[in-house]
Amino acid sequence: MRIIAKRTLVDCWENNPGRRDARGQLEAWYKEVKDAAWRTPADVKEQYRSASIVKSNRVVFNICGNKYRLVVKINYIARLVFIRFIGTHKEYDSINVEEI
């Protein structure tokens, strides 16, 4: 899969000192997703059982034991993963995951 854009992940831990604990898991997520070949939401769930599939081709991943939420939009045909949001659980609660 092609991920747009890794810079969003790097900004998360570089520009937010309190989020440096997410670096290792975000880097691991990036590598795993880059090597994935998802064709359907079921493929995502097979690899990430705790991921939440939501409307509008959005998927929510739990990072650092659900301390953070990572929201992506996936275009399965083009094999693109667009990073839409990374934040704390509280920040996640204030967004509309289907529109972000």
Side-chain angles (χ1 to χ4, degrees), residues 41 53-59 72-76 82 98:
I53 308 298
V54 294
K55 292 180 183 177
S56 303
N57 289 323
R58 302 304 200 274
V59 180
V72 302
K73 180 178 181 179
I74 301 176
N75 181 323
Y76 294 97
F82 299 92
E98 296 173 15

Side-chain angles (χ1 to χ4, degrees), residues 62-100:
N62 298 319
I63 305 295
C64 289
N66 206 18
K67 182 176 180 181
Y68 305 105
R69 293 276 179 103
L70 171 63
V71 179
V72 302
K73 180 178 181 179
I74 301 176
N75 181 323
Y76 294 97
I77 295 169
R79 299 190 61 217
L80 293 171
V81 176
F82 299 92
I83 298 171
R84 308 299 294 162
F85 171 86
I86 177 78
T88 64
H89 207 295
K90 183 178 180 180
E91 292 166 337
Y92 170 83
D93 288 341
S94 69
I95 66 167
N96 182 338
V97 72
E98 296 173 15
E99 293 180 4
I100 196 159

